[in-house]
Amino acid sequence: MPIRQVARLVDPVTRGWAVVTAGSVARLALGFVASVLIARALGPAGFGVFAVLGAVANVVGAVADLGLTDAAVKRIAGVWPARPELARERARVFFWLRAGAAALVVAAGSLLVVLTARSIAGPSEIGALLPLALLGVGATALSGAVSAILQATGRFGRLSLVALTNAGLTAALAIALGRAGRLTLVSALVLLGIGTSLASFATGRRLLPGGWRLDFPGVASLREEGRELVRFGRWLWIANSFAMLAAQLDVLLLNRWSGAATVGAYALALNLATKVDVVNSSLYTVLLPAASSLHGERGVRRYVRQGVVRSALIGAALLLTIPLCGPFITFFYGAAYAPAVGIFRGLLGVVIFDVVTTPLLLLSYHYNRPKLLAGADALRAGTVALVGAGLIPGAGASGAITARLCARFAGAGLILTVLARRRRAED
C-alpha cells in the first residue's frame, strides 16, 4: 500500500506525533554523542554538579515562562488557520512578553545568586557557575518562544528542524571540545547551552509561517492580548512551575543527602529516561493544540479512544529497553556509571506511566481547567518533597525514584477524579 494511502488511514494527531517523534529520535541520536562525551569528560562527580546546575536552570526557566507558552499555543491554535492575521498578532505579543519576562527573572535570579553565594549548598562550583546557568535560561526562552509558535501553527516538521539544529550543533561542538581537551563545566554551559540555544532561535525565526515577523506589536496590542495570555497563563504558570519543581526536586534533594558521584549516576539515568520520554514529550507537543481545539462530546470520546490505544502501544514498546539498558550504559558511559543501570529501570516505570496518562490529563485544556493543572502539579511537588525527604536520606536513589512515582500517581489521580466528576455531572 502506498505511503500516502497509509497516512490517510492514520488520524492527524498520530501523523503529527510520528513527525515530531522522528525528528526527536534523530535529535536524540545527535544528543547522545554529546551526553557521552560530557559524562566521560566530567566523571560522575562533575556530571553531578552539571546536573544540579541544570535542575536549577530548569526550575528558574519554568518560573520565567509565567505560563505564557502553553497559553499562547492555546490562543494561537484557536484561531489558526481560519484567522491568520490574528494568529500572527497573538504570536508577536507572546514573543515579546516571553522574552521580557525571562530577562527580568534571569536578572533577579543572578542578583540573588551573587548575594547568597556563600550559603548555597553543595560543591563550590555550583555557586560560581549558577550565573552562567541562568543566562542559559534566557537563551532557551528565545528558542522556546519560536518553537511554541511553530507548534501552535502545526508546523511540526519545522519544529523538529529547530530541535535538530540544536542537537547537531551541540554534538559538533562537543566533539571539537573533547578532541581539544576543553570540554569542561564552563564550556558546556556557555557553548553547548547558551550558544546552541541562540542558534536554534535564529533558525526557528527563519522557519515561521510566510510573512510573519517578530517586530514589536505596539503597546495597545501588548496590553490587550497580554491580558488574555496572563489571565489563562497565570494558572499554567503555577502548574508548570510546580511541575518543573517536581521533576527536578529529586535531584536537588539527592544532592542534599548524597555524594556528588551518586547524584551523577542518578542524573545520568534520569537523562537517559528523559531521552526515552521523547515519545511522551512529542505526544504532548501534538496533543496540546488538538486537545485545546476539541469540539463536542463525540470529539472528546474519539480523542480519548485514540489516545488510550496509542499510549498502550507506545508503553509496551518501551518495555523492550529494560534488558538492553545495562550493556548500553556500561559500554558507552563506562563502568563508573554502572549504578545508573538499576536507577534507569526504575525511572522507566515513571516514563511509561506518563505516556499512558498524558492524553487524558490534557483534557484539562479542553475543559478550561488551568486551576486544576496548577493544583495537581502543586500536589506532585509536595509529594516529591515529603516522600523524598523521608526516603532519600536512608534509601538514596531508590528513595528518589519512589518519590517521583508517588508524585505522578498523586497528580494524575487528582486530575482524573475531578474531570470524571465533571463529566458525570454534565450527563
Side-chain angles (χ1 to χ4, degrees):
M1 182 180 294
I3 295 178
R4 290 185 178 179
Q5 293 183 7
V6 174
R8 293 193 189 100
L9 298 177
V10 182
D11 64 278
V13 169
T14 302
R15 289 199 301 270
W17 171 79
V19 171
V20 175
T21 301
S24 297
V25 169
R27 173 177 59 83
L28 291 180
L30 293 169
F32 171 71
V33 176
S35 70
V36 170
L37 292 172
I38 293 172
R40 283 185 171 273
L42 301 181
F47 195 72
V49 173
F50 186 70
V52 172
L53 291 170
V56 173
N58 287 334
V59 173
V60 174
V63 173
D65 181 73
L66 300 182
L68 295 172
T69 297
D70 285 350
V73 171
K74 177 178 174 60
R75 296 274 301 165
I76 297 169
V79 296
W80 176 268
R83 304 174 66 185
E85 288 302 315
L86 180 56
R88 182 176 67 88
E89 187 67 11
R90 289 181 175 182
R92 292 165 64 204
V93 171
F94 158 64
F95 174 79
W96 280 89
L97 285 177
R98 179 73 177 94
L104 289 175
V105 172
V106 169
S110 299
L111 179 61
L112 184 63
V113 168
V114 172
L115 296 177
T116 62
R118 292 185 178 181
S119 62
I120 295 175
S124 59
E125 298 99 315
I126 293 178
L129 295 176
L130 265 177
L132 283 179
L134 293 178
L135 285 176
V137 171
T140 302
L142 295 177
S143 63
V146 293
S147 294
I149 296 172
L150 293 173
Q151 176 188 356
T153 54
R155 301 302 206 265
F156 297 117
R158 299 183 184 187
L159 177 62
S160 297
L161 184 57
V162 174
L164 284 172
T165 298
N166 186 295
L169 186 57
T170 300
L173 288 172
I175 293 173
L177 291 170
R179 295 188 64 177
R182 299 293 182 87
L183 188 49
T184 63
L185 281 169
V186 173
S187 62
L189 291 171
V190 174
L191 296 178
L192 307 187
I194 300 172
T196 56
S197 292
L198 292 177
S200 298
F201 164 65
T203 301
R205 186 177 180 181
R206 294 179 64 87
L207 294 176
L208 293 175
W212 283 33
R213 298 173 60 187
L214 297 177
D215 50 319
F216 188 71
V219 176
S221 295
L222 201 65
R223 183 184 300 113
E224 181 179 353
E225 176 60 22
R227 185 182 302 113
E228 293 300 317
L229 285 173
V230 172
R231 183 182 62 82
F232 188 84
R234 60 186 176 180
W235 294 107
L236 296 179
W237 175 42
I238 297 173
N240 293 339
S241 297
F242 276 119
M244 187 57 70
L245 182 61
Q248 305 295 333
L249 192 56
D250 50 348
V251 175
L252 299 177
L253 291 174
L254 199 62
N255 180 63
R256 172 67 177 79
W257 283 299
S258 301
T262 300
V263 177
Y266 186 85
L268 177 67
L270 184 59
N271 179 272
L272 293 175
T274 302
K275 294 183 186 305
V276 173
D277 195 43
V278 65
V279 295
N280 189 51
S281 59
S282 301
L283 200 60
Y284 180 92
T285 298
V286 177
L287 285 177
L288 178 56
S292 299
S293 56
L294 288 173
H295 297 289
E297 189 61 26
R298 180 178 298 179
V300 173
R301 287 198 298 267
R302 182 171 60 252
Y303 167 88
V304 171
R305 183 173 60 253
Q306 293 172 344
V308 169
V309 173
R310 186 188 305 111
S311 295
L313 293 175
I314 295 171
L318 290 179
L319 292 174
L320 299 176
T321 63
I322 291 178
L324 303 176
C325 64
F328 179 89
I329 290 175
T330 54
F331 177 79
F332 286 103
Y333 292 92
Y337 287 97
V341 175
I343 299 173
F344 171 80
R345 288 171 177 161
L347 292 172
L348 185 63
V350 181
V351 172
I352 293 175
F353 180 82
D354 285 345
V355 168
V356 172
T357 57
T358 290
L360 301 177
L361 302 185
L362 284 176
L363 285 174
S364 301
Y365 286 87
H366 169 68
Y367 292 113
N368 290 312
R369 299 298 298 271
K371 294 181 182 179
L372 178 58
L373 292 171
D377 285 318
L379 179 60
R380 290 189 185 101
T383 302
V384 172
L386 291 175
V387 177
L391 295 181
I392 290 176
S398 298
I401 296 171
T402 303
R404 181 175 282 259
L405 186 58
C406 288
R408 292 301 200 278
F409 273 106
L414 175 62
I415 291 177
L416 295 179
T417 299
V418 172
L419 292 182
R421 287 180 178 176
R422 169 167 180 162
R423 292 194 66 185
R424 284 197 297 268
E426 291 178 348
D427 294 340

